[in-house]
Amino acid sequence: MSSTQPHEPPLDTRPLDRVLAEATRLAAVAAVPLVGRGDRDAVDGAAVAAMRAALAGADADGRVVVGEGEKDDAPMLHLGERFGTGGGPAIDIAVDPVDGTSLAAAALPGAMAVMAVAPRGAFLEIGPAHYMSKLVSRVPGLDPHAPMAETIDRIARARGVTAADVRVAVQDRPRNAALADAAADAGAAVERFAHGDVERCLRAARGDGDLDLVVGVGGAPEGVLTAAAVRALGGWMQARLAPQSEAEAARLAAAGVDVERVVGLAELCGPATAFFATAVTPCDLGPGVRLSAGESWSVGSMAWATER
């Protein structure tokens, strides 16, 4: 007569940054066969299952603190979900197994598997927030309350160019229409996009990026994910939570979250962060970083993970 024992995932003894990068890659690879089939949930489901399995044996005490699926009612790694063997460093991750599921479902460029990692407690915990207003740029010190024309002028002067050379990306939603119109009225070149918030923020944060500013209300999970990469790239970012419904506002109020407070990178994420991305469909992260499906890119360091 045989006895059954609880299954324990095998310990993955590779360096932790490689394990997390591989989990991101495997999520993307699992989603690729579903590209163009029109089924967003199938794309998300395949990526989530692959990432969860890859994380199970990581030599870490891991916790998911920011995820994307709850907002979209899609398959997800759950907020508060634990992963790893329980040994090794205590880490938190902000994760979206596929950022841009609609893009992947339609076989459009810009979908990627993304993960940011930091020591325990280093990320801003956004709780039930779904939406966030943000400014991302490589020009520091912008005023989130300033008129758009003033912001465009400041960026132009910092770059030594005219307003016509300033490039602004705004997610094409009714909530952001006034910002997009104001940027165009100020003379800037405006890139309106439907999906792909993270991709544009990386392009704006890079020192040699081909965007100067990403502005407007987008997903709050993407905002925290983006912050880790922006910080590692030496960019600048400010944000505040921006509920888009009475129900979301009520949840945030019940959780004691101040939606009027503007936070910078120091509060969004700690200085010791790493960011991993793998393309599901072709992705453009700026000059010299154009990824085909299955190709990966990372920024930041996990040297702190070995300091036990």
PDB file of all heavy atoms in Angstrom, residues 112 134-138 169 191 193 196-206 209 211-216 219 222-223 225-227 229-230 233 235-237 284-285 297:
ATOM      1  N   MET A 112       3.140  42.131 -24.416  1.00  0.00           N
ATOM      2  CA  MET A 112       4.328  41.554 -23.790  1.00  0.00           C
ATOM      3  C   MET A 112       3.999  41.013 -22.408  1.00  0.00           C
ATOM      4  O   MET A 112       3.057  41.465 -21.756  1.00  0.00           O
ATOM      5  CB  MET A 112       5.441  42.595 -23.687  1.00  0.00           C
ATOM      6  CG  MET A 112       5.137  43.758 -22.771  1.00  0.00           C
ATOM      7  SD  MET A 112       6.469  44.995 -22.706  1.00  0.00           S
ATOM      8  CE  MET A 112       5.977  46.027 -24.088  1.00  0.00           C
ATOM      9  N   LYS A 134      -0.873  59.441 -14.601  1.00  0.00           N
ATOM     10  CA  LYS A 134       0.579  59.444 -14.500  1.00  0.00           C
ATOM     11  C   LYS A 134       1.222  60.365 -15.528  1.00  0.00           C
ATOM     12  O   LYS A 134       0.670  60.630 -16.599  1.00  0.00           O
ATOM     13  CB  LYS A 134       1.151  58.035 -14.624  1.00  0.00           C
ATOM     14  CG  LYS A 134       0.593  57.171 -15.717  1.00  0.00           C
ATOM     15  CD  LYS A 134       1.057  55.741 -15.519  1.00  0.00           C
ATOM     16  CE  LYS A 134       0.424  54.768 -16.494  1.00  0.00           C
ATOM     17  NZ  LYS A 134      -0.973  54.455 -16.145  1.00  0.00           N
ATOM     18  N   LEU A 135       2.395  60.841 -15.148  1.00  0.00           N
ATOM     19  CA  LEU A 135       3.315  61.553 -16.017  1.00  0.00           C
ATOM     20  C   LEU A 135       4.604  60.755 -16.028  1.00  0.00           C
ATOM     21  O   LEU A 135       5.171  60.476 -14.970  1.00  0.00           O
ATOM     22  CB  LEU A 135       3.631  62.954 -15.484  1.00  0.00           C
ATOM     23  CG  LEU A 135       2.620  64.086 -15.586  1.00  0.00           C
ATOM     24  CD1 LEU A 135       3.162  65.290 -14.851  1.00  0.00           C
ATOM     25  CD2 LEU A 135       2.352  64.433 -17.030  1.00  0.00           C
ATOM     26  N   VAL A 136       5.081  60.386 -17.208  1.00  0.00           N
ATOM     27  CA  VAL A 136       6.350  59.680 -17.340  1.00  0.00           C
ATOM     28  C   VAL A 136       7.189  60.413 -18.373  1.00  0.00           C
ATOM     29  O   VAL A 136       6.717  60.716 -19.476  1.00  0.00           O
ATOM     30  CB  VAL A 136       6.148  58.207 -17.778  1.00  0.00           C
ATOM     31  CG1 VAL A 136       7.490  57.516 -17.968  1.00  0.00           C
ATOM     32  CG2 VAL A 136       5.301  57.454 -16.758  1.00  0.00           C
ATOM     33  N   SER A 137       8.432  60.701 -18.024  1.00  0.00           N
ATOM     34  CA  SER A 137       9.319  61.435 -18.915  1.00  0.00           C
ATOM     35  C   SER A 137      10.759  61.191 -18.487  1.00  0.00           C
ATOM     36  O   SER A 137      11.019  60.640 -17.416  1.00  0.00           O
ATOM     37  CB  SER A 137       9.000  62.932 -18.852  1.00  0.00           C
ATOM     38  OG  SER A 137       9.834  63.678 -19.727  1.00  0.00           O
ATOM     39  N   ARG A 138      11.698  61.600 -19.320  1.00  0.00           N
ATOM     40  CA  ARG A 138      13.092  61.632 -18.884  1.00  0.00           C
ATOM     41  C   ARG A 138      13.490  63.042 -18.459  1.00  0.00           C
ATOM     42  O   ARG A 138      14.622  63.284 -18.057  1.00  0.00           O
ATOM     43  CB  ARG A 138      14.028  61.122 -19.984  1.00  0.00           C
ATOM     44  CG  ARG A 138      13.932  61.847 -21.296  1.00  0.00           C
ATOM     45  CD  ARG A 138      14.783  61.132 -22.342  1.00  0.00           C
ATOM     46  NE  ARG A 138      14.619  61.710 -23.665  1.00  0.00           N
ATOM     47  CZ  ARG A 138      13.624  61.424 -24.485  1.00  0.00           C
ATOM     48  NH1 ARG A 138      12.673  60.573 -24.100  1.00  0.00           N
ATOM     49  NH2 ARG A 138      13.545  61.980 -25.674  1.00  0.00           N
ATOM     50  N   ALA A 169       2.664  60.854 -25.803  1.00  0.00           N
ATOM     51  CA  ALA A 169       1.765  59.706 -25.991  1.00  0.00           C
ATOM     52  C   ALA A 169       0.630  59.781 -24.983  1.00  0.00           C
ATOM     53  O   ALA A 169       0.866  60.008 -23.791  1.00  0.00           O
ATOM     54  CB  ALA A 169       2.529  58.395 -25.845  1.00  0.00           C
ATOM     55  N   GLU A 191       0.909  61.098 -30.058  1.00  0.00           N
ATOM     56  CA  GLU A 191       0.682  59.701 -30.432  1.00  0.00           C
ATOM     57  C   GLU A 191      -0.442  59.166 -29.562  1.00  0.00           C
ATOM     58  O   GLU A 191      -0.279  58.966 -28.364  1.00  0.00           O
ATOM     59  CB  GLU A 191       1.955  58.878 -30.219  1.00  0.00           C
ATOM     60  CG  GLU A 191       1.790  57.403 -30.550  1.00  0.00           C
ATOM     61  CD  GLU A 191       3.067  56.599 -30.323  1.00  0.00           C
ATOM     62  OE1 GLU A 191       4.159  57.098 -30.661  1.00  0.00           O
ATOM     63  OE2 GLU A 191       2.967  55.462 -29.810  1.00  0.00           O
ATOM     64  N   PHE A 193      -2.837  56.138 -28.538  1.00  0.00           N
ATOM     65  CA  PHE A 193      -2.739  54.679 -28.617  1.00  0.00           C
ATOM     66  C   PHE A 193      -3.885  54.043 -27.849  1.00  0.00           C
ATOM     67  O   PHE A 193      -4.369  54.595 -26.856  1.00  0.00           O
ATOM     68  CB  PHE A 193      -1.391  54.199 -28.071  1.00  0.00           C
ATOM     69  CG  PHE A 193      -1.160  54.476 -26.605  1.00  0.00           C
ATOM     70  CD1 PHE A 193      -1.438  53.516 -25.640  1.00  0.00           C
ATOM     71  CD2 PHE A 193      -0.671  55.709 -26.181  1.00  0.00           C
ATOM     72  CE1 PHE A 193      -1.232  53.763 -24.296  1.00  0.00           C
ATOM     73  CE2 PHE A 193      -0.456  55.970 -24.837  1.00  0.00           C
ATOM     74  CZ  PHE A 193      -0.743  54.999 -23.894  1.00  0.00           C
ATOM     75  N   GLY A 196      -1.143  49.333 -24.734  1.00  0.00           N
ATOM     76  CA  GLY A 196       0.310  49.330 -24.751  1.00  0.00           C
ATOM     77  C   GLY A 196       0.919  50.433 -23.907  1.00  0.00           C
ATOM     78  O   GLY A 196       1.920  51.051 -24.270  1.00  0.00           O
ATOM     79  N   ASP A 197       0.320  50.671 -22.739  1.00  0.00           N
ATOM     80  CA  ASP A 197       0.768  51.694 -21.808  1.00  0.00           C
ATOM     81  C   ASP A 197       2.227  51.492 -21.403  1.00  0.00           C
ATOM     82  O   ASP A 197       3.043  52.419 -21.429  1.00  0.00           O
ATOM     83  CB  ASP A 197      -0.146  51.631 -20.570  1.00  0.00           C
ATOM     84  CG  ASP A 197      -0.035  52.851 -19.678  1.00  0.00           C
ATOM     85  OD1 ASP A 197       0.862  53.664 -19.902  1.00  0.00           O
ATOM     86  OD2 ASP A 197      -0.855  52.975 -18.752  1.00  0.00           O
ATOM     87  N   VAL A 198       2.585  50.273 -21.022  1.00  0.00           N
ATOM     88  CA  VAL A 198       3.937  49.983 -20.534  1.00  0.00           C
ATOM     89  C   VAL A 198       4.968  50.253 -21.625  1.00  0.00           C
ATOM     90  O   VAL A 198       6.009  50.879 -21.381  1.00  0.00           O
ATOM     91  CB  VAL A 198       4.038  48.528 -20.037  1.00  0.00           C
ATOM     92  CG1 VAL A 198       5.480  48.178 -19.679  1.00  0.00           C
ATOM     93  CG2 VAL A 198       3.125  48.310 -18.831  1.00  0.00           C
ATOM     94  N   GLU A 199       4.689  49.806 -22.829  1.00  0.00           N
ATOM     95  CA  GLU A 199       5.605  49.998 -23.943  1.00  0.00           C
ATOM     96  C   GLU A 199       5.926  51.481 -24.137  1.00  0.00           C
ATOM     97  O   GLU A 199       7.092  51.875 -24.271  1.00  0.00           O
ATOM     98  CB  GLU A 199       4.992  49.415 -25.217  1.00  0.00           C
ATOM     99  CG  GLU A 199       5.879  49.493 -26.439  1.00  0.00           C
ATOM    100  CD  GLU A 199       5.176  48.961 -27.682  1.00  0.00           C
ATOM    101  OE1 GLU A 199       3.976  49.262 -27.865  1.00  0.00           O
ATOM    102  OE2 GLU A 199       5.824  48.246 -28.452  1.00  0.00           O
ATOM    103  N   ARG A 200       4.912  52.335 -24.122  1.00  0.00           N
ATOM    104  CA  ARG A 200       5.156  53.771 -24.320  1.00  0.00           C
ATOM    105  C   ARG A 200       5.924  54.392 -23.161  1.00  0.00           C
ATOM    106  O   ARG A 200       6.777  55.257 -23.362  1.00  0.00           O
ATOM    107  CB  ARG A 200       3.840  54.520 -24.520  1.00  0.00           C
ATOM    108  CG  ARG A 200       3.461  54.624 -25.986  1.00  0.00           C
ATOM    109  CD  ARG A 200       2.399  53.677 -26.307  1.00  0.00           C
ATOM    110  NE  ARG A 200       2.095  53.671 -27.741  1.00  0.00           N
ATOM    111  CZ  ARG A 200       1.660  52.580 -28.353  1.00  0.00           C
ATOM    112  NH1 ARG A 200       1.534  51.441 -27.691  1.00  0.00           N
ATOM    113  NH2 ARG A 200       1.369  52.594 -29.628  1.00  0.00           N
ATOM    114  N   CYS A 201       5.610  53.973 -21.939  1.00  0.00           N
ATOM    115  CA  CYS A 201       6.324  54.526 -20.790  1.00  0.00           C
ATOM    116  C   CYS A 201       7.811  54.201 -20.839  1.00  0.00           C
ATOM    117  O   CYS A 201       8.649  55.043 -20.478  1.00  0.00           O
ATOM    118  CB  CYS A 201       5.706  54.018 -19.496  1.00  0.00           C
ATOM    119  SG  CYS A 201       4.065  54.716 -19.139  1.00  0.00           S
ATOM    120  N   LEU A 202       8.160  53.021 -21.294  1.00  0.00           N
ATOM    121  CA  LEU A 202       9.579  52.675 -21.434  1.00  0.00           C
ATOM    122  C   LEU A 202      10.242  53.561 -22.476  1.00  0.00           C
ATOM    123  O   LEU A 202      11.377  54.020 -22.295  1.00  0.00           O
ATOM    124  CB  LEU A 202       9.722  51.201 -21.816  1.00  0.00           C
ATOM    125  CG  LEU A 202       9.221  50.184 -20.791  1.00  0.00           C
ATOM    126  CD1 LEU A 202       9.393  48.765 -21.331  1.00  0.00           C
ATOM    127  CD2 LEU A 202       9.932  50.335 -19.467  1.00  0.00           C
ATOM    128  N   ARG A 203       9.555  53.816 -23.559  1.00  0.00           N
ATOM    129  CA  ARG A 203      10.115  54.687 -24.609  1.00  0.00           C
ATOM    130  C   ARG A 203      10.321  56.113 -24.100  1.00  0.00           C
ATOM    131  O   ARG A 203      11.266  56.796 -24.497  1.00  0.00           O
ATOM    132  CB  ARG A 203       9.188  54.689 -25.821  1.00  0.00           C
ATOM    133  CG  ARG A 203       9.194  53.384 -26.614  1.00  0.00           C
ATOM    134  CD  ARG A 203       8.036  53.304 -27.593  1.00  0.00           C
ATOM    135  NE  ARG A 203       7.983  54.463 -28.492  1.00  0.00           N
ATOM    136  CZ  ARG A 203       6.916  54.761 -29.240  1.00  0.00           C
ATOM    137  NH1 ARG A 203       5.823  54.005 -29.178  1.00  0.00           N
ATOM    138  NH2 ARG A 203       6.950  55.803 -30.027  1.00  0.00           N
ATOM    139  N   ALA A 204       9.446  56.580 -23.206  1.00  0.00           N
ATOM    140  CA  ALA A 204       9.569  57.934 -22.676  1.00  0.00           C
ATOM    141  C   ALA A 204      10.641  58.041 -21.598  1.00  0.00           C
ATOM    142  O   ALA A 204      11.259  59.096 -21.440  1.00  0.00           O
ATOM    143  CB  ALA A 204       8.228  58.400 -22.112  1.00  0.00           C
ATOM    144  N   ALA A 205      10.874  56.965 -20.856  1.00  0.00           N
ATOM    145  CA  ALA A 205      11.822  57.013 -19.741  1.00  0.00           C
ATOM    146  C   ALA A 205      13.268  56.847 -20.175  1.00  0.00           C
ATOM    147  O   ALA A 205      14.187  57.320 -19.488  1.00  0.00           O
ATOM    148  CB  ALA A 205      11.475  55.930 -18.721  1.00  0.00           C
ATOM    149  N   ARG A 206      13.491  56.184 -21.301  1.00  0.00           N
ATOM    150  CA  ARG A 206      14.860  55.948 -21.760  1.00  0.00           C
ATOM    151  C   ARG A 206      15.557  57.255 -22.121  1.00  0.00           C
ATOM    152  O   ARG A 206      14.955  58.154 -22.715  1.00  0.00           O
ATOM    153  CB  ARG A 206      14.864  55.024 -22.975  1.00  0.00           C
ATOM    154  CG  ARG A 206      14.486  53.593 -22.663  1.00  0.00           C
ATOM    155  CD  ARG A 206      14.548  52.749 -23.914  1.00  0.00           C
ATOM    156  NE  ARG A 206      15.850  52.860 -24.593  1.00  0.00           N
ATOM    157  CZ  ARG A 206      16.111  52.297 -25.763  1.00  0.00           C
ATOM    158  NH1 ARG A 206      15.183  51.607 -26.393  1.00  0.00           N
ATOM    159  NH2 ARG A 206      17.301  52.432 -26.317  1.00  0.00           N
ATOM    160  N   GLY A 209      15.176  57.696 -25.660  1.00  0.00           N
ATOM    161  CA  GLY A 209      13.853  57.284 -26.102  1.00  0.00           C
ATOM    162  C   GLY A 209      13.288  58.178 -27.189  1.00  0.00           C
ATOM    163  O   GLY A 209      13.734  59.312 -27.392  1.00  0.00           O
ATOM    164  N   LEU A 211      10.016  59.040 -27.302  1.00  0.00           N
ATOM    165  CA  LEU A 211       8.892  59.794 -26.766  1.00  0.00           C
ATOM    166  C   LEU A 211       9.424  60.682 -25.641  1.00  0.00           C
ATOM    167  O   LEU A 211      10.381  60.317 -24.949  1.00  0.00           O
ATOM    168  CB  LEU A 211       7.806  58.867 -26.210  1.00  0.00           C
ATOM    169  CG  LEU A 211       6.943  58.110 -27.221  1.00  0.00           C
ATOM    170  CD1 LEU A 211       6.029  57.118 -26.496  1.00  0.00           C
ATOM    171  CD2 LEU A 211       6.119  59.057 -28.074  1.00  0.00           C
ATOM    172  N   ASP A 212       8.786  61.826 -25.442  1.00  0.00           N
ATOM    173  CA  ASP A 212       9.197  62.739 -24.379  1.00  0.00           C
ATOM    174  C   ASP A 212       8.289  62.690 -23.165  1.00  0.00           C
ATOM    175  O   ASP A 212       8.704  63.051 -22.067  1.00  0.00           O
ATOM    176  CB  ASP A 212       9.212  64.175 -24.913  1.00  0.00           C
ATOM    177  CG  ASP A 212      10.251  64.366 -25.999  1.00  0.00           C
ATOM    178  OD1 ASP A 212      11.437  64.170 -25.721  1.00  0.00           O
ATOM    179  OD2 ASP A 212       9.851  64.679 -27.137  1.00  0.00           O
ATOM    180  N   LEU A 213       7.057  62.247 -23.360  1.00  0.00           N
ATOM    181  CA  LEU A 213       6.087  62.287 -22.271  1.00  0.00           C
ATOM    182  C   LEU A 213       4.976  61.291 -22.530  1.00  0.00           C
ATOM    183  O   LEU A 213       4.481  61.188 -23.646  1.00  0.00           O
ATOM    184  CB  LEU A 213       5.488  63.700 -22.166  1.00  0.00           C
ATOM    185  CG  LEU A 213       4.402  63.933 -21.114  1.00  0.00           C
ATOM    186  CD1 LEU A 213       4.983  63.853 -19.711  1.00  0.00           C
ATOM    187  CD2 LEU A 213       3.736  65.303 -21.332  1.00  0.00           C
ATOM    188  N   VAL A 214       4.608  60.546 -21.490  1.00  0.00           N
ATOM    189  CA  VAL A 214       3.357  59.784 -21.475  1.00  0.00           C
ATOM    190  C   VAL A 214       2.506  60.394 -20.380  1.00  0.00           C
ATOM    191  O   VAL A 214       2.962  60.572 -19.241  1.00  0.00           O
ATOM    192  CB  VAL A 214       3.592  58.291 -21.204  1.00  0.00           C
ATOM    193  CG1 VAL A 214       2.256  57.544 -21.137  1.00  0.00           C
ATOM    194  CG2 VAL A 214       4.480  57.672 -22.278  1.00  0.00           C
ATOM    195  N   VAL A 215       1.274  60.752 -20.702  1.00  0.00           N
ATOM    196  CA  VAL A 215       0.422  61.459 -19.751  1.00  0.00           C
ATOM    197  C   VAL A 215      -1.005  60.954 -19.863  1.00  0.00           C
ATOM    198  O   VAL A 215      -1.454  60.550 -20.945  1.00  0.00           O
ATOM    199  CB  VAL A 215       0.493  62.992 -20.007  1.00  0.00           C
ATOM    200  CG1 VAL A 215      -0.012  63.345 -21.395  1.00  0.00           C
ATOM    201  CG2 VAL A 215      -0.252  63.770 -18.934  1.00  0.00           C
ATOM    202  N   GLY A 216      -1.713  60.951 -18.737  1.00  0.00           N
ATOM    203  CA  GLY A 216      -3.112  60.578 -18.745  1.00  0.00           C
ATOM    204  C   GLY A 216      -3.432  59.455 -17.788  1.00  0.00           C
ATOM    205  O   GLY A 216      -2.554  58.923 -17.091  1.00  0.00           O
ATOM    206  N   GLY A 219      -4.107  52.190 -16.545  1.00  0.00           N
ATOM    207  CA  GLY A 219      -4.222  51.188 -15.494  1.00  0.00           C
ATOM    208  C   GLY A 219      -3.291  51.456 -14.329  1.00  0.00           C
ATOM    209  O   GLY A 219      -2.133  51.821 -14.513  1.00  0.00           O
ATOM    210  N   GLU A 222      -0.381  48.749 -14.267  1.00  0.00           N
ATOM    211  CA  GLU A 222       0.662  49.109 -15.220  1.00  0.00           C
ATOM    212  C   GLU A 222       1.527  50.243 -14.684  1.00  0.00           C
ATOM    213  O   GLU A 222       2.726  50.308 -14.964  1.00  0.00           O
ATOM    214  CB  GLU A 222       0.050  49.531 -16.564  1.00  0.00           C
ATOM    215  CG  GLU A 222      -0.627  48.419 -17.333  1.00  0.00           C
ATOM    216  CD  GLU A 222      -2.114  48.344 -17.064  1.00  0.00           C
ATOM    217  OE1 GLU A 222      -2.569  48.822 -15.995  1.00  0.00           O
ATOM    218  OE2 GLU A 222      -2.845  47.809 -17.926  1.00  0.00           O
ATOM    219  N   GLY A 223       0.907  51.139 -13.914  1.00  0.00           N
ATOM    220  CA  GLY A 223       1.661  52.241 -13.354  1.00  0.00           C
ATOM    221  C   GLY A 223       2.754  51.785 -12.411  1.00  0.00           C
ATOM    222  O   GLY A 223       3.885  52.287 -12.463  1.00  0.00           O
ATOM    223  N   LEU A 225       4.063  48.681 -12.284  1.00  0.00           N
ATOM    224  CA  LEU A 225       5.019  47.940 -13.114  1.00  0.00           C
ATOM    225  C   LEU A 225       5.985  48.890 -13.821  1.00  0.00           C
ATOM    226  O   LEU A 225       7.204  48.710 -13.809  1.00  0.00           O
ATOM    227  CB  LEU A 225       4.264  47.128 -14.164  1.00  0.00           C
ATOM    228  CG  LEU A 225       3.827  45.718 -13.806  1.00  0.00           C
ATOM    229  CD1 LEU A 225       2.753  45.247 -14.768  1.00  0.00           C
ATOM    230  CD2 LEU A 225       5.005  44.772 -13.842  1.00  0.00           C
ATOM    231  N   THR A 226       5.414  49.911 -14.425  1.00  0.00           N
ATOM    232  CA  THR A 226       6.208  50.882 -15.159  1.00  0.00           C
ATOM    233  C   THR A 226       7.213  51.583 -14.258  1.00  0.00           C
ATOM    234  O   THR A 226       8.353  51.839 -14.652  1.00  0.00           O
ATOM    235  CB  THR A 226       5.279  51.931 -15.806  1.00  0.00           C
ATOM    236  OG1 THR A 226       4.490  51.299 -16.815  1.00  0.00           O
ATOM    237  CG2 THR A 226       6.063  53.064 -16.430  1.00  0.00           C
ATOM    238  N   ALA A 227       6.798  51.890 -13.036  1.00  0.00           N
ATOM    239  CA  ALA A 227       7.667  52.636 -12.130  1.00  0.00           C
ATOM    240  C   ALA A 227       8.996  51.935 -11.905  1.00  0.00           C
ATOM    241  O   ALA A 227      10.050  52.587 -11.845  1.00  0.00           O
ATOM    242  CB  ALA A 227       6.954  52.864 -10.797  1.00  0.00           C
ATOM    243  N   ALA A 229      10.640  49.963 -13.946  1.00  0.00           N
ATOM    244  CA  ALA A 229      11.482  50.123 -15.130  1.00  0.00           C
ATOM    245  C   ALA A 229      11.940  51.568 -15.281  1.00  0.00           C
ATOM    246  O   ALA A 229      13.105  51.828 -15.618  1.00  0.00           O
ATOM    247  CB  ALA A 229      10.723  49.674 -16.376  1.00  0.00           C
ATOM    248  N   VAL A 230      11.027  52.516 -15.039  1.00  0.00           N
ATOM    249  CA  VAL A 230      11.386  53.934 -15.163  1.00  0.00           C
ATOM    250  C   VAL A 230      12.523  54.271 -14.209  1.00  0.00           C
ATOM    251  O   VAL A 230      13.487  54.960 -14.572  1.00  0.00           O
ATOM    252  CB  VAL A 230      10.155  54.823 -14.895  1.00  0.00           C
ATOM    253  CG1 VAL A 230      10.555  56.289 -14.783  1.00  0.00           C
ATOM    254  CG2 VAL A 230       9.119  54.646 -15.997  1.00  0.00           C
ATOM    255  N   LEU A 233      15.766  52.844 -15.404  1.00  0.00           N
ATOM    256  CA  LEU A 233      16.238  53.527 -16.611  1.00  0.00           C
ATOM    257  C   LEU A 233      16.709  54.956 -16.335  1.00  0.00           C
ATOM    258  O   LEU A 233      17.235  55.613 -17.237  1.00  0.00           O
ATOM    259  CB  LEU A 233      15.118  53.564 -17.657  1.00  0.00           C
ATOM    260  CG  LEU A 233      14.786  52.234 -18.331  1.00  0.00           C
ATOM    261  CD1 LEU A 233      13.445  52.330 -19.055  1.00  0.00           C
ATOM    262  CD2 LEU A 233      15.891  51.829 -19.309  1.00  0.00           C
ATOM    263  N   GLY A 235      14.651  57.416 -15.511  1.00  0.00           N
ATOM    264  CA  GLY A 235      13.609  58.340 -15.917  1.00  0.00           C
ATOM    265  C   GLY A 235      12.922  58.987 -14.734  1.00  0.00           C
ATOM    266  O   GLY A 235      13.349  58.842 -13.582  1.00  0.00           O
ATOM    267  N   TRP A 236      11.836  59.700 -15.010  1.00  0.00           N
ATOM    268  CA  TRP A 236      11.095  60.455 -13.991  1.00  0.00           C
ATOM    269  C   TRP A 236       9.618  60.110 -14.125  1.00  0.00           C
ATOM    270  O   TRP A 236       9.104  59.921 -15.223  1.00  0.00           O
ATOM    271  CB  TRP A 236      11.326  61.950 -14.206  1.00  0.00           C
ATOM    272  CG  TRP A 236      10.608  62.833 -13.240  1.00  0.00           C
ATOM    273  CD1 TRP A 236      11.064  63.288 -12.037  1.00  0.00           C
ATOM    274  CD2 TRP A 236       9.295  63.387 -13.395  1.00  0.00           C
ATOM    275  NE1 TRP A 236      10.122  64.083 -11.429  1.00  0.00           N
ATOM    276  CE2 TRP A 236       9.020  64.175 -12.238  1.00  0.00           C
ATOM    277  CE3 TRP A 236       8.317  63.302 -14.392  1.00  0.00           C
ATOM    278  CZ2 TRP A 236       7.826  64.843 -12.064  1.00  0.00           C
ATOM    279  CZ3 TRP A 236       7.117  63.969 -14.223  1.00  0.00           C
ATOM    280  CH2 TRP A 236       6.886  64.735 -13.065  1.00  0.00           C
ATOM    281  N   MET A 237       8.937  60.053 -12.981  1.00  0.00           N
ATOM    282  CA  MET A 237       7.525  59.691 -13.001  1.00  0.00           C
ATOM    283  C   MET A 237       6.832  60.254 -11.771  1.00  0.00           C
ATOM    284  O   MET A 237       7.395  60.259 -10.673  1.00  0.00           O
ATOM    285  CB  MET A 237       7.372  58.170 -13.033  1.00  0.00           C
ATOM    286  CG  MET A 237       5.943  57.660 -13.028  1.00  0.00           C
ATOM    287  SD  MET A 237       5.894  55.851 -13.195  1.00  0.00           S
ATOM    288  CE  MET A 237       4.135  55.564 -13.143  1.00  0.00           C
ATOM    289  N   ASP A 284       8.094  47.566 -29.657  1.00  0.00           N
ATOM    290  CA  ASP A 284       9.053  48.643 -29.899  1.00  0.00           C
ATOM    291  C   ASP A 284       9.275  49.381 -28.587  1.00  0.00           C
ATOM    292  O   ASP A 284       8.419  50.130 -28.131  1.00  0.00           O
ATOM    293  CB  ASP A 284       8.501  49.593 -30.963  1.00  0.00           C
ATOM    294  CG  ASP A 284       9.450  50.738 -31.281  1.00  0.00           C
ATOM    295  OD1 ASP A 284      10.538  50.792 -30.674  1.00  0.00           O
ATOM    296  OD2 ASP A 284       9.100  51.581 -32.130  1.00  0.00           O
ATOM    297  N   LEU A 285      10.443  49.168 -27.970  1.00  0.00           N
ATOM    298  CA  LEU A 285      10.762  49.825 -26.709  1.00  0.00           C
ATOM    299  C   LEU A 285      11.681  51.017 -26.909  1.00  0.00           C
ATOM    300  O   LEU A 285      12.264  51.533 -25.959  1.00  0.00           O
ATOM    301  CB  LEU A 285      11.401  48.823 -25.735  1.00  0.00           C
ATOM    302  CG  LEU A 285      10.597  47.550 -25.460  1.00  0.00           C
ATOM    303  CD1 LEU A 285      11.267  46.726 -24.385  1.00  0.00           C
ATOM    304  CD2 LEU A 285       9.163  47.876 -25.080  1.00  0.00           C
ATOM    305  N   TRP A 297      13.872  41.295 -22.793  1.00  0.00           N
ATOM    306  CA  TRP A 297      14.635  42.492 -22.439  1.00  0.00           C
ATOM    307  C   TRP A 297      14.473  42.711 -20.952  1.00  0.00           C
ATOM    308  O   TRP A 297      13.426  42.409 -20.376  1.00  0.00           O
ATOM    309  CB  TRP A 297      14.080  43.678 -23.222  1.00  0.00           C
ATOM    310  CG  TRP A 297      14.734  45.002 -22.951  1.00  0.00           C
ATOM    311  CD1 TRP A 297      15.865  45.499 -23.507  1.00  0.00           C
ATOM    312  CD2 TRP A 297      14.246  46.033 -22.078  1.00  0.00           C
ATOM    313  NE1 TRP A 297      16.128  46.769 -23.045  1.00  0.00           N
ATOM    314  CE2 TRP A 297      15.149  47.116 -22.164  1.00  0.00           C
ATOM    315  CE3 TRP A 297      13.132  46.137 -21.236  1.00  0.00           C
ATOM    316  CZ2 TRP A 297      14.975  48.292 -21.433  1.00  0.00           C
ATOM    317  CZ3 TRP A 297      12.964  47.305 -20.504  1.00  0.00           C
ATOM    318  CH2 TRP A 297      13.866  48.362 -20.611  1.00  0.00           C
TER     319      TRP A 297
END
